[in-house]
Amino acid sequence: MLDTEDLSPADEAVLDLLAEGRVTAPFVRDETGYSLQYIRDVLARLVEHNHARKVHDGLYELVDDPREDDCDE
């Protein structure tokens, strides 16, 4: 699991969009201006740390927002 201090501005932007609903990498790219490859890397990292999951080919949803975990402490 990632901690708040582990999050980059891109991680934060992707998490904000995931909090609103399911996303695709191209949608996140269009909304944030980051490159498509960088967004794919961010999404893969969030999946690796169990904060997001791939529900279908190219479609992601939020599982656990690491920013909320830090608020519980």
Side-chain angles (χ1 to χ4, degrees):
M1 295 289 216
L2 298 171
D3 292 323
T4 303
E5 61 268 3
D6 297 326
L7 301 176
S8 70
D11 293 329
E12 296 269 358
V14 172
L15 286 166
D16 287 343
L17 291 170
L18 283 167
E20 295 177 15
R22 292 177 171 175
V23 301
T24 63
F27 173 77
V28 175
R29 177 206 51 213
D30 292 347
E31 293 294 308
T32 64
Y34 291 106
S35 75
L36 185 57
Q37 185 57 55
Y38 188 53
I39 292 303
R40 286 181 175 144
D41 292 345
V42 169
L43 286 165
R45 181 172 179 242
L46 292 172
V47 168
E48 177 185 344
H49 290 279
N50 299 314
H51 295 296
R53 74 180 178 119
K54 195 173 193 178
V55 294
H56 191 48
D57 189 33
L59 184 64
Y60 297 84
E61 71 181 7
L62 185 65
V63 172
D64 177 57
D65 192 328
R67 301 170 298 182
E68 292 174 3
D69 293 342
D70 285 352
C71 293
D72 294 339
E73 292 178 3

